Amino acid sequence: MVVSAPWLVALAAVVLVVAGGGGVEFVYDGFAGAGLALDGMANVTPEGLLLLTNDTDMNKGHAFHPEPVRFRGAAAATEGGRTGVASSFSTTFVFAIVSEFIDLSTSGFAFLVAPSRDLSTAMPQQYLGMFNGSSNGDPRNQIFAVELDTVRNPEFADINNNHIGVDVNSLNSSAAAAAGYYDDATGELQNLSLISRKPMQVWVDYDAAAAEVTVAMAPVRWPRPKRPLLSTKVNLSTVISDTAYVGFSSASSIVLCKHYVLSWSFRLGGGAAPALDYSKLPKLPRIGPKPRSEALTVALPIATTAVVLAAVAVGFILLRRRLRYAELREDWEVEFGPHRFAFKDLYNATGGFKDKKLLGAGGFGRVYKGVLPVSRTEVAVKRVSHESRQGMKEFIAEVVSIGRIRHRNLVQLLGYCRRKGELLLVYDYMQNGSLDKYLYGCDEKPVLDWAQRIYIIKGVASGLLYMHEDWEQVVIHRDIKASNVLLDGDMNGRLGDFGLARLYDHGADPQTTHVVGTMGYLAPEMVRSGKATTLSDVFAFGAFLLEVTCGRRPIEEEEEEEGVAGADDDDRFVLVDWVLGHWRKGAISDAVDAKLGGEYDAAEADLVLRLGLTCLHPSPAARPTMRQVMQYLDGSAQLPELPPTYVTFNMLAAMDTHQGVFGAWSVRRSAAMSIGTMSDICLSGGR
Ligand SMILES: *[C@@H]1O[C@H](CO)[C@@H](O)[C@H](O)[C@H]1NC(C)=O
Ligand SMILES: *[C@@H]1O[C@H](CO)[C@@H](O)[C@H](O)[C@H]1NC(C)=O
Ligand SMILES: *[C@@H]1O[C@H](CO)[C@@H](O)[C@H](O)[C@H]1NC(C)=O
Ligand SMILES: *[C@@H]1O[C@H](CO)[C@@H](O)[C@H](O)[C@H]1NC(C)=O
Ligand SMILES: *[C@@H]1O[C@H](CO)[C@@H](O)[C@H](O)[C@H]1NC(C)=O
């Protein structure tokens, strides 16, 4: 029996009760002053949230109920009087996983029962701070856990990147199910996303008589679903120790991902865990823009109506005019005056931003075609919504300085305009639209022949080289991809959207859901550190080379008859792996776009593909500079053989155990799986 110290009961959060049947029972409605045993990164926030992970340094965090629980012996024996049998128990908790990026996570966490609070030999990342490479699967662990896993680790035979698993001494779950719940009314399975940032509740019950574990989950404040998500036979008498600690374990990885537990209750010896008091749930920190208060939502339309009816009727036309053309101007902008456009002009140029004038929509905003009044110049106007004013001055300064660059392979930036929450960028209009439309045959665009492709590739390379090395200052593009390459009237490739990703850099605007850049083009070191360099541009350029030569996107959701050698082992096609597969077989030309019908310069295509792979080297130091890339392309230097590291590359990536380059690379790939739907890949693909 666990004796609860009187001072503990007096504390706010925890209520320790000795249950009638001789079991143990406790409730934490929030964790402020709860006295949990914490280690590693685990922390209780001032609001009373249990925060298990707080950084990206591949650390661990553990939080345990401080007293051990006696699963066998005196307390447990009352259940049918048997000894040697681990007692039934029931637990429930509310959690939330809040990732820096809404669609990206790199680890999960677990509820666990462990013989000791010392988990110092366990490893972070995919080991969730519970096991290490050699102890995984070892019965001596005496660990029972329920994992909430947000990464699909093939080495633990995970079913997907959003599942709940019952773990007995091993991360290879003995049973697992995709996160979700069965609707009581319809009986249908509803999916839940663990990384949705929304609080959810989990119930875990162990029935000793039946030797069965059941797990259920639901959105917070919902009743427990009648049908559990998962139930599995496992006799915990043969697993857990006589006395054990109960708590949570979590690990961090390269993406900042916070694992919160909001409240928790536990009961030993039959019967359901005490209900949680939702009114006492600590508040999660707000992410994203301030939600409009409910009062405001109700009051606003009424107030607006009243105001419109009473006061503004007279000045209506005037007011509308003013609002329509309202801009944001600050003192520091004076020096950029010549580059500043009046919103009114842009509004008129684009016919009031009509859908008819829409040229495209990408990760950063919508682009409209316009004709400037007076000069009658054709322009493309990009509307980028942006709340944060932080860094705006630097950004505008950069925009203006980029605007001074003239190069035939860069889309000319003419100027900008600022409104509340919005930035408008004005570019030269490119008649033939973006390159990806031609590669993937959207909008009935003709397929480009090889001569056109190599011309575009060389053009883009020379534009990028100019930015990196030949202009007065180094400018990093940050988002090179086919959909950012535009074709002018002469089918000359021009790089657009320079430096725009900078607006969304980490820190400047944390609530943004953009990953800076586009999955499939992001260099591993950039995902890890968030820092863009010329070499991360080279990486993206490598992906671009493969994309143009193979006519395929860097990452594709597998839909049709794929199954080609080198395709990723789950339902995703990873272009670089596929090309590498062909290269290893000595038949790299097989990767060239079939739409060319065999009509291409084999030596050139071979060079471009190998150059693409070289640029895509996971280690930045092994990538060429744009100057070298240019020399390889025009034949003035010989492209060296691919580094031998590439030969074993996939194997290393699959191991994914260490935080080295290869580990991060592979994590990035699993992360890409969950992000595929939000990137530009799909935005432009669907159009
Ligand atoms: C994370 O938590 C640990 C342990 O409480 C603390 O030492 C560390 O400073 C925290 N890190 C951050 C980035 O808040
Ligand atoms: C793995 O964990 C086990 C059990 O905790 C421990 O005995 C062993 O030393 C650990 N191995 C490594 C390589 O850390
Ligand atoms: C876990 O699953 C993987 C993949 O199926 C397998 O190779 C490995 O041996 C399993 N490990 C344990 C401890 O069961
Ligand atoms: C739920 O998720 C599974 C895969 O985990 C998917 O096959 C299914 O279509 C999803 N159902 C709904 C209603 O979204
Ligand atoms: C579970 O294992 C214990 C110890 O081996 C045994 O006494 C008990 O009968 C088992 N329970 C069930 C339901 O099989």
Side-chain angles (χ1 to χ4, degrees):
M1 162 177 325
V2 171
V3 182
S4 54
W7 57 267
L8 208 50
V9 180
L11 282 170
V14 63
V15 184
L16 259 168
V17 196
V18 178
V24 171
E25 169 172 310
F26 59 80
V27 189
Y28 294 100
D29 284 314
F31 296 91
L36 290 183
L38 304 173
D39 72 47
M41 291 179 291
N43 220 333
V44 171
T45 70
E47 301 80 43
L49 293 158
L50 170 56
L51 174 57
L52 292 164
T53 46
N54 69 354
D55 65 20
T56 58
D57 288 345
M58 323 225 180
N59 281 326
K60 302 173 282 183
H62 303 110
F64 288 102
H65 180 61
E67 320 283 341
V69 176
R70 262 180 101 172
F71 283 92
R72 287 194 193 78
T78 56
E79 195 191 326
R82 289 164 300 175
T83 49
V85 176
S87 171
S88 297
F89 65 85
S90 168
T91 189
T92 182
F93 56 92
V94 175
F95 75 95
I97 300 181
V98 178
S99 169
E100 192 176 10
F101 305 122
I102 188 89
D103 271 2
L104 195 57
S105 160
T106 45
S107 51
F109 77 103
F111 163 79
L112 85 166
V113 180
S116 151
R117 293 197 313 227
D118 177 11
L119 292 167
S120 52
T121 56
M123 296 212 346
Q125 276 187 286
Q126 71 271 42
Y127 293 98
L128 302 181
M130 298 195 290
F131 304 107
N132 60 35
S134 50
S135 71
N136 189 40
D138 189 336
R140 285 173 298 179
N141 289 323
Q142 300 190 295
I143 288 179
F144 164 76
V146 174
E147 63 172 34
L148 290 99
D149 198 349
T150 58
V151 171
R152 177 180 167 274
N153 294 110
E155 71 268 41
F156 305 137
D158 279 352
I159 55 167
N160 64 13
N161 62 4
N162 182 48
H163 63 270
I164 291 205
V166 172
D167 294 353
V168 176
N169 292 323
S170 168
L171 286 154
N172 293 40
S173 302
S174 24
Y181 63 96
Y182 289 96
D183 190 309
D184 283 345
T186 63
E188 269 170 42
L189 180 62
Q190 306 288 324
N191 289 343
L192 288 174
S193 165
L194 295 175
I195 60 167
S196 63
R197 296 175 172 174
K198 299 204 177 84
M200 287 174 262
Q201 187 167 2
V202 171
W203 293 265
V204 178
D205 289 271
Y206 174 62
D207 178 347
E212 187 174 44
V213 171
T214 53
V215 183
M217 75 181 297
V220 71
R221 293 172 213 275
W222 285 40
R224 176 184 177 146
K226 292 200 178 69
R227 177 171 170 197
L229 177 62
L230 173 63
S231 75
T232 182
K233 291 277 177 200
V234 39
N235 190 344
L236 292 186
S237 300
T238 61
V239 178
I240 55 185
S241 50
D242 290 359
T243 55
Y245 290 87
V246 292
F248 299 92
S249 178
S250 175
S252 66
S253 187
I254 58 165
V255 171
L256 180 58
C257 189
K258 294 180 174 170
H259 299 118
Y260 289 105
V261 180
L262 288 77
S263 63
W264 173 33
S265 75
F266 178 91
R267 183 186 161 94
L268 183 77
L276 301 174
D277 183 347
Y278 300 129
S279 68
K280 290 189 192 149
L281 283 180
K283 278 218 161 39
L284 284 171
R286 186 170 60 77
I287 329 138
K290 194 175 215 152
R292 202 184 259 180
S293 82
E294 265 171 47
L296 209 57
T297 317
V298 176
L300 205 64
I302 300 169
T304 314
T305 314
V307 168
V308 167
L309 285 181
V312 186
V314 189
F316 177 68
I317 293 167
L318 261 176
L319 181 73
R320 197 182 64 163
R321 234 183 112 81
R322 272 193 70 160
L323 283 181
R324 178 184 287 172
Y325 304 134
E327 295 179 17
L328 212 60
R329 249 176 226 272
E330 285 174 78
D331 294 346
W332 53 261
E333 289 185 77
V334 173
E335 57 176 299
F336 306 131
H339 297 276
R340 174 106 199 193
F341 280 82
F343 184 71
K344 188 176 166 188
D345 289 347
L346 299 181
Y347 186 92
N348 290 333
T350 55
F353 297 101
K354 286 227 173 59
D355 279 352
K356 216 172 67 198
K357 301 279 188 165
L358 191 65
L359 293 171
F364 293 124
R366 296 156 80 83
V367 187
Y368 297 83
K369 182 182 174 178
V371 180
L372 289 180
V374 189
S375 68
R376 312 304 302 162
T377 332
E378 285 187 318
V379 291
V381 182
K382 181 158 216 163
R383 294 185 88 164
V384 185
S385 71
H386 192 73
E387 288 302 332
S388 161
R389 281 177 40 187
Q390 213 184 340
M392 185 52 88
K393 183 172 177 183
E394 290 73 19
F395 180 75
I396 296 292
E398 186 167 314
V399 161
V400 167
S401 86
I402 288 171
R404 289 192 286 116
I405 303 176
R406 297 279 185 283
H407 190 280
R408 66 186 300 266
N409 295 108
L410 303 175
V411 177
Q412 180 68 40
L413 178 69
L414 303 172
Y416 77 103
C417 174
R418 238 151 54 83
R419 304 228 306 156
K420 196 170 181 322
E422 189 176 44
L423 179 69
L424 295 102
L425 297 170
V426 185
Y427 296 95
D428 258 352
Y429 174 66
M430 295 288 124
Q431 266 145 297
N432 285 314
S434 65
L435 172 61
D436 59 332
K437 304 266 162 43
Y438 293 84
L439 292 177
Y440 308 120
C442 311
D443 301 351
E444 280 111 42
K445 297 275 203 245
V447 170
L448 296 176
D449 65 27
W450 177 254
Q452 286 172 311
R453 294 190 197 202
I454 193 82
Y455 181 63
I456 292 166
I457 285 174
K458 285 181 176 168
V460 171
S462 103
L464 195 56
L465 169 62
Y466 186 72
M467 308 298 317
H468 281 182
E469 299 186 26
D470 293 340
W471 199 55
E472 59 197 49
Q473 68 195 60
V474 178
V475 179
I476 297 168
H477 186 284
R478 294 158 195 260
D479 201 11
I480 298 162
K481 56 183 169 183
S483 55
N484 273 345
V485 170
L486 298 164
L487 300 172
D488 63 17
D490 305 326
M491 293 302 275
N492 180 41
R494 285 166 176 256
L495 210 37
D497 264 359
F498 254 98
L500 200 50
R502 180 192 164 93
L503 252 198
Y504 290 93
D505 252 358
H506 70 296
D509 193 4
Q511 70 263 35
T512 178
T513 57
H514 290 285
V515 172
V516 182
T518 305
M519 276 297 160
Y521 303 85
L522 283 176
E525 79 277 5
M526 185 169 160
V527 173
R528 206 166 341 108
S529 70
K531 264 192 119 105
T533 60
T534 52
L535 289 173
S536 59
D537 268 1
V538 170
F539 183 94
F541 182 74
F544 168 76
L545 288 180
L546 301 190
E547 188 176 7
V548 175
T549 313
C550 308
R552 305 191 66 157
R553 297 176 200 283
I555 294 176
E556 289 174 7
E557 297 282 339
E558 209 89 345
E559 284 156 9
E560 300 120 43
E561 24 63 90
E562 231 28 271
V564 193
D568 208 11
D569 50 2
D570 70 306
D571 53 355
R572 235 161 237 89
F573 170 87
V574 177
L575 183 56
V576 56
D577 286 353
W578 186 70
V579 174
L580 268 174
H582 286 302
W583 172 71
R584 283 202 200 98
K585 283 187 297 183
I588 200 168
S589 323
D590 290 356
V592 176
D593 193 351
K595 293 195 283 296
L596 289 169
E599 307 229 335
Y600 60 92
D601 182 324
E604 250 173 15
D606 177 88
L607 171 76
V608 172
L609 287 173
R610 285 189 298 117
L611 179 57
L613 293 178
T614 311
C615 294
L616 281 161
H617 197 287
S619 164
R623 293 175 210 148
T625 62
M626 279 317 290
R627 168 105 36 221
Q628 290 168 313
V629 166
M630 213 50 221
Q631 287 164 348
Y632 299 143
L633 279 175
D634 64 23
S636 62
Q638 179 87 24
L639 177 67
E641 282 306 307
L642 283 178
T645 37
Y646 253 136
V647 182
T648 51
F649 168 74
N650 255 355
M651 196 191 78
L652 280 166
M655 276 163 57
D656 183 27
T657 42
H658 297 291
Q659 63 182 84
V661 167
F662 292 102
W665 167 263
S666 153
V667 172
R668 183 181 69 82
R669 277 184 32 197
S670 33
M673 292 159 195
S674 56
I675 204 159
T677 47
M678 63 161 280
S679 70
D680 277 326
I681 298 172
C682 299
L683 264 174
S684 49
R687 291 176 46 85

